[in-house]
Amino acid sequence: MDARIRDLRAADHLLHGLAAELALPEGVFGCTHLVRGERPRVALSLALPSESLLRTAQERLAAGGHDVAPGIPDAVGRAVLYPGVGALTGTLTIADVLSRSAIDRVTVLGGQGQPAPDALLVTGDHVRPGWQNDELVLTAMPAVGGTLVPFEVPDPTPCCADH
């Protein structure tokens, strides 16, 4: 779906709003996709469990002025809605992250291999894994006290914010 959005935060809010408005069941996948070219923007995709729900969603989205097309813009979307996302709050072990959600693995930016199952992830209640080779992968980075945090933060400081 092309909602003519240019930033990830607005796309996240739209996905959450659509999930509530369409009464989507827990466990659907809703992703953002960066579209480059003449008109850079963020496209959205939804993977729904039934054809009837898919048709209903397409009709309501089209009626709301969104450009809707079948398929996904690319294979590397960033997951906003996914099974278990609601359980990823506070500080969790990597084992908990993997067992409570659809995330297949966690990688550490600049690290070798995967973190230990008992390594702690401070979620900041904002966990946005991405699709890589048909796996949902969360990229984390080292933080204070030997913990990890998701690479993507909810309120990033814009580039050049100090001038």
Side-chain angles (χ1 to χ4, degrees):
M1 167 183 55
D2 185 352
R4 298 169 195 83
I5 294 176
R6 294 184 56 96
D7 71 56
L8 290 173
R9 185 177 221 187
D12 285 8
H13 287 293
L14 180 57
L15 273 172
H16 285 290
L18 290 171
E21 177 186 331
L22 298 170
L24 297 179
E26 188 99 12
V28 301
F29 284 90
C31 298
T32 60
H33 305 265
L34 298 178
V35 179
R36 291 164 173 70
E38 282 183 33
R39 192 173 57 93
R41 62 200 181 282
V42 181
L44 308 177
S45 66
L46 289 169
L48 302 174
S50 71
E51 281 298 316
S52 64
L53 187 55
L54 177 64
R55 277 192 304 279
T56 300
Q58 288 174 327
E59 289 167 4
R60 291 181 74 183
L61 293 170
H66 303 293
D67 295 333
V68 179
I72 57 173
D74 58 36
V76 293
R78 170 185 160 274
V80 176
L81 306 173
Y82 53 93
V85 66
L88 301 181
T89 61
T91 300
L92 303 168
T93 66
I94 296 301
D96 286 338
V97 170
L98 299 175
S99 68
R100 293 180 184 183
S101 72
I103 296 173
D104 294 304
R105 65 186 168 91
V106 177
T107 62
V108 179
L109 198 62
Q112 300 283 345
Q114 296 183 34
D118 63 346
L120 295 176
L121 178 78
V122 180
T123 69
D125 301 340
H126 185 86
V127 181
R128 301 292 189 264
W131 290 103
Q132 296 177 13
N133 300 319
D134 295 326
E135 285 187 309
L136 198 54
V137 179
L138 176 65
T139 301
M141 58 186 179
V144 175
T147 62
L148 298 169
V149 294
F151 176 70
E152 182 181 328
V153 295
D155 296 311
T157 302
C159 178
C160 307
D162 61 342
H163 52 272

